[in-house]
């Protein structure tokens, strides 16, 4: 038997492959517009999973992530990188992702102890290091360009700051992100970090980014890159904490359910992959806010775009969920042509549907629920009154949807943001203004640096040129 030490990646639209992890990660998107997935999911036996029980977070991360990385990073380097990433210096808790019991059979997994207080740090702290590692090998430099309405920008900056081979340019709409969110970006004074406040709204920022990425000459000359949620390295980093939580609750002999506050479907996709790798999962609950495209899909089999609604859980205010394509690919026997047609329908008709039997298959593992702002405030208030714990509005969506879908197994809600990141909503629900953790207590009196630019792609291009 030949043991493949190199994991191949294929595109969800059937028109591209990547020979290894490095190629898939550095490309981001596949050349046919699809998303890279591994040609096969590595699978662990129950015995092997049981043996993970006493590993520390970063040791477990190595076991889960290394089969996907293959030969792209030598074992010793990957171990070192993971020990650095998932250390209490970066995730400010000895357990990195502590599991907390709120009620009998109901838990939250706190994923908000990282530098920007949201679960995106788990993926972006890893991705920043992976990019820098591969770039150092090739002697290249990249310019990361992105737009943010708040959360992703700060997590991307925290993951890239100070890295030698990366510059990062993040556009935010001037005066339209919260004080905490802005300061989490603009108080980072590292030389390679450039915050740009655009005179416009979030859509303007996104359109500028699209326009600049659509300029092939500029993109090539400045080696432009993105860190968006479809990058495979971000997904793999998120698989780890499903195993970590489940092992503490008795897996693999005990099944576990997870409820996941969902926007782009990256986080819950990682839970699905954990299940494919052998973790016994009873249900995965797709918890959406009033932007409920996925809940409507699970209920009707039709995936239909609607305008974005602004809610108390802004990091889930999305029109479509880009990573959902990876799930659809698997549930259509990995036939890229089918996915290509569906995406075509989405682009032209603003919707597509799946067959009843496909929907029924998906429904065996997944459940869903949509939670509106009124319920969000009620849940935060009730959990606080009954347990003394403050949860943030995103976590509240997860908790409520989870509670509505409990079967036999313990239900773990992923707590995706720290309550102090969304203090107004939490105060409204509990009467108590949640405080920032001590490592961020300086945030409100630290100096800020950002550049204000007009809503014109040319201005942004000039700024990038001037800073290279
Ligand atoms: C990004 C984000 C989500 C949604 O995660 P997806 O992977 O996009 O589904 C949920 N909660 C918070 C706090 C986030 O920042």
């Amino acid at each position: 038997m030949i043991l493949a030490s190199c994991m191949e990646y294929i595109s969800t639209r059937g028109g591209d492959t990547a020979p290894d992890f490095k190629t898939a990660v550095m490309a981001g998107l596949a050349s046919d517009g699809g998303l890279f997935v591994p040609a096969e999911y590595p699978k662990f036996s129950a015995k092997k999973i049981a043996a993970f029980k006493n590993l520390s977070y970063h040791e477990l991360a190595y076991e889960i992530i290394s089969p996907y990385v293959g030969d792209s990073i030598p074992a010793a380097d990957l171990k070192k990188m993971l020990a650095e990433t998932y250390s209490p210096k970066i995730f400010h808790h000895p357990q990195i992702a502590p599991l907390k019991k709120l009620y009998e059979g109901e838990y939250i997994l706190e994923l908000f102890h990282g530098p920007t207080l949201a679960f995106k740090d788990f993926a972006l702290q890893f991705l920043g290091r992976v990019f820098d590692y591969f770039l150092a090998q090739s002697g290249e430099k990249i310019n990361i360009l992105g737009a943010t309405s708040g959360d992703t920008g700060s997590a991307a900056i925290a993951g890239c700051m100070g890295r030698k081979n990366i510059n990062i340019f993040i556009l935010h709409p001037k005066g339209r992100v919260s004080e905490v969110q802005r300061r989490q970006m603009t108080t980072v004074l590292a030389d390679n970090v450039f915050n740009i406040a655009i005179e416009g709204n979030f859509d303007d920022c996104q359109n500028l980014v699209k326009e600049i990425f659509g300029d092939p000459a500029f993109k090539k000359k400045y080696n432009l890159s993105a860190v968006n949620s479809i990058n495979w390295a971000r997904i793999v980093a998120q698989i780890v904490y499903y195993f970590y939580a489940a092992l503490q609750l008795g897996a693999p002999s005990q099944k576990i359910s997870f409820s996941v506050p969902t926007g782009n479907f990256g986080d819950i996709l990682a839970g699905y992959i954990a299940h494919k790798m052998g973790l016994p999962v009873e249900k995965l609950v797709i918890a959406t806010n009033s932007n409920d495209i996925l809940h409507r899909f699970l209920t009707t089999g039709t995936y239909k775009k609607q305008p974005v609604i602004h809610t108390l859980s802004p990091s889930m205010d999305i029109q479509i969920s880009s990573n959902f394509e990876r799930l659809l690919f698997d549930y259509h026997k990995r036939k890229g042509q089918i996915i290509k047609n569906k995406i075509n329908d989405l682009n032209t008709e603003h919707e597509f549907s799946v067959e009843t039997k496909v929907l029924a298959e998906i429904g065996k593992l997944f459940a869903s629920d949509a939670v509106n702002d009124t319920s969000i405030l009620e849940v935060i208030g009730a959990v606080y009154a009954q347990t003394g714990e403050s949860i943030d509005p995103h976590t509240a969506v997860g908790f409520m949807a989870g509670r509505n879908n409990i079967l036999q197994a313990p239900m773990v809600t992923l707590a995706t943001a720290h309550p102090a990141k969304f203090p107004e909503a939490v105060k409204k629900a509990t009467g108590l203004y949640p405080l920032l953790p001590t490592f961020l207590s300086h945030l409100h009196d630290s100096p800020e640096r950002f550049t204000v630019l007009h809503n014109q792609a040319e201005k942004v291009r000039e700024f990038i040129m001037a800073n290279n």
Side-chain angles (χ1 to χ4, degrees):
M1 186 172 80
I2 296 169
L3 270 180
S5 52
C6 173
M7 168 84 66
E8 198 203 346
Y9 289 83
I10 57 178
S11 164
T12 51
R13 296 192 196 167
D16 194 11
T17 60
D20 54 22
F21 179 77
K22 179 176 178 177
T23 313
V25 167
M26 294 314 283
L29 204 64
S31 63
D32 59 357
L35 313 189
F36 283 121
V37 291
E40 245 173 273
Y41 296 113
K43 194 151 167 113
F44 299 131
S45 66
K47 198 167 154 223
K48 174 103 184 164
I49 293 172
F52 291 160
K53 196 152 228 144
N54 294 317
L55 298 183
S56 67
Y57 192 92
H58 72 85
E59 289 166 341
L60 178 64
Y62 177 77
E63 297 296 332
I64 309 291
I65 295 174
S66 58
Y68 292 102
V69 172
D71 286 343
S72 287
I73 305 176
D77 289 357
L78 182 61
K79 281 185 184 165
K80 184 160 167 270
M81 193 188 289
L82 292 169
E84 265 174 40
T85 307
Y86 302 111
S87 101
K89 281 199 195 114
I90 297 198
F91 292 86
H92 300 253
H93 194 285
Q95 267 124 48
I96 310 297
L99 184 69
K100 208 177 252 175
K101 182 173 173 177
L102 287 190
Y103 299 90
E104 204 49 52
E106 291 175 279
Y107 299 79
I108 56 169
L109 182 66
E110 294 185 351
L111 301 176
F112 53 66
H113 294 282
T116 73
L117 307 183
F119 88 98
K120 290 194 174 65
D121 289 325
F122 277 84
L124 286 163
Q125 286 293 322
F126 178 60
L127 184 67
R129 284 174 174 79
V130 168
F131 269 177
D132 213 35
Y133 182 89
F134 289 145
L135 291 166
Q137 286 179 334
S138 63
E140 271 179 290
K141 287 199 189 315
I142 56 171
N143 287 291
I144 288 171
L145 174 65
T148 189
S149 55
D151 263 2
T152 313
S154 58
I157 288 171
C160 294
M161 66 183 215
R163 305 210 177 281
K164 285 201 297 289
N165 307 302
I166 303 174
N167 287 326
I168 178 163
F169 296 83
I170 297 291
L171 278 47
H172 70 265
K174 181 166 179 272
R176 297 187 197 210
V177 298
S178 79
E179 169 97 11
V180 170
Q181 289 181 323
R182 186 191 73 242
R183 286 184 162 274
Q184 282 186 315
M185 298 190 280
T186 58
T187 57
V188 177
L189 302 179
D191 289 345
N192 69 329
V193 172
F194 302 93
N195 279 290
I196 303 173
I198 294 291
E199 317 232 45
N201 59 28
F202 176 56
D203 283 343
D204 296 327
C205 295
Q206 272 193 314
N207 288 335
L208 290 172
V209 169
K210 263 192 210 149
E211 191 179 333
I212 297 168
F213 271 100
D215 173 348
F218 188 84
K219 180 166 182 260
K220 183 147 186 275
K221 176 149 186 224
Y222 289 94
N223 231 343
L224 284 194
S225 184
V227 290
N228 41 31
S229 76
I230 52 90
N231 196 296
W232 179 251
R234 284 184 63 171
I235 306 293
V236 287
Q238 299 176 123
I239 302 170
V240 180
Y241 43 70
Y242 287 90
F243 278 91
Y244 189 65
L247 283 162
Q248 291 175 56
L249 294 174
S253 46
Q254 166 73 54
K255 279 190 178 186
I256 310 293
S257 290
F258 292 92
S259 180
V260 186
T262 296
N264 258 321
F265 206 77
D267 208 3
I268 193 163
L269 180 82
Y272 159 78
I273 296 170
H275 173 62
K276 297 296 274 187
M277 292 173 78
L279 190 70
V281 172
E282 185 179 45
K283 275 283 169 203
L284 289 170
V285 183
I286 304 169
T288 77
N289 63 23
S290 296
N291 296 286
D292 60 350
I293 182 166
L294 289 167
H295 177 54
R296 283 183 283 113
F297 172 82
L298 265 274
T299 327
T300 63
T302 296
Y303 187 83
K304 185 173 168 35
K305 275 196 213 177
Q306 278 182 0
V308 173
I309 302 167
H310 292 282
T311 73
L312 293 173
S313 46
S315 303
M316 293 152 63
D317 292 348
I318 47 94
Q319 200 178 23
I320 60 159
S321 298
S322 20
N323 273 300
F324 193 51
E325 185 168 335
R326 288 184 160 120
L327 189 80
L328 287 174
F329 182 62
D330 279 6
Y331 278 93
H332 287 90
K333 303 195 167 69
R334 301 200 130 200
K335 295 203 170 103
Q337 188 58 44
I338 298 182
I339 302 307
K340 202 170 152 185
N341 294 342
K342 295 207 183 297
I343 299 297
N344 241 349
D345 290 347
L346 184 67
N347 291 336
T348 54
E349 323 282 332
H350 308 294
E351 64 175 85
F352 64 77
S353 296
V354 302
E355 288 173 22
T356 317
K357 79 174 188 296
V358 172
L359 188 64
E361 269 311 304
I362 295 176
K364 284 184 188 162
L365 180 62
F366 290 89
S368 70
D369 227 320
V371 180
N372 66 24
D373 277 356
T374 311
S375 305
I376 287 178
L377 291 175
E378 275 170 20
V379 176
I380 298 174
V383 168
Y384 181 69
Q386 292 157 9
T387 71
E389 289 291 332
S390 288
I391 57 173
D392 102 291
H394 303 80
T395 307
V397 168
F399 186 81
M400 193 66 228
R403 178 163 278 186
N404 292 342
N405 286 286
I406 293 177
L407 299 171
Q408 306 294 320
M411 179 63 73
V412 177
T413 295
L414 303 198
T416 51
H418 191 288
K421 221 171 166 175
F422 301 93
E424 284 79 20
V426 176
K427 165 107 200 290
K428 200 167 166 187
T430 65
L432 223 73
Y433 196 88
L435 294 179
L436 287 170
T438 45
F439 77 91
L440 278 176
S441 54
H442 64 274
L443 193 70
H444 288 287
D445 38 54
S446 295
E448 293 185 77
R449 190 181 72 204
F450 60 96
T451 305
V452 180
L453 292 179
H454 285 302
N455 177 17
Q456 282 167 0
E458 197 43 42
K459 297 281 178 222
V460 178
R461 266 192 292 251
E462 280 168 12
F463 184 79
I464 293 172
M465 285 189 258
N467 286 291
N468 264 277

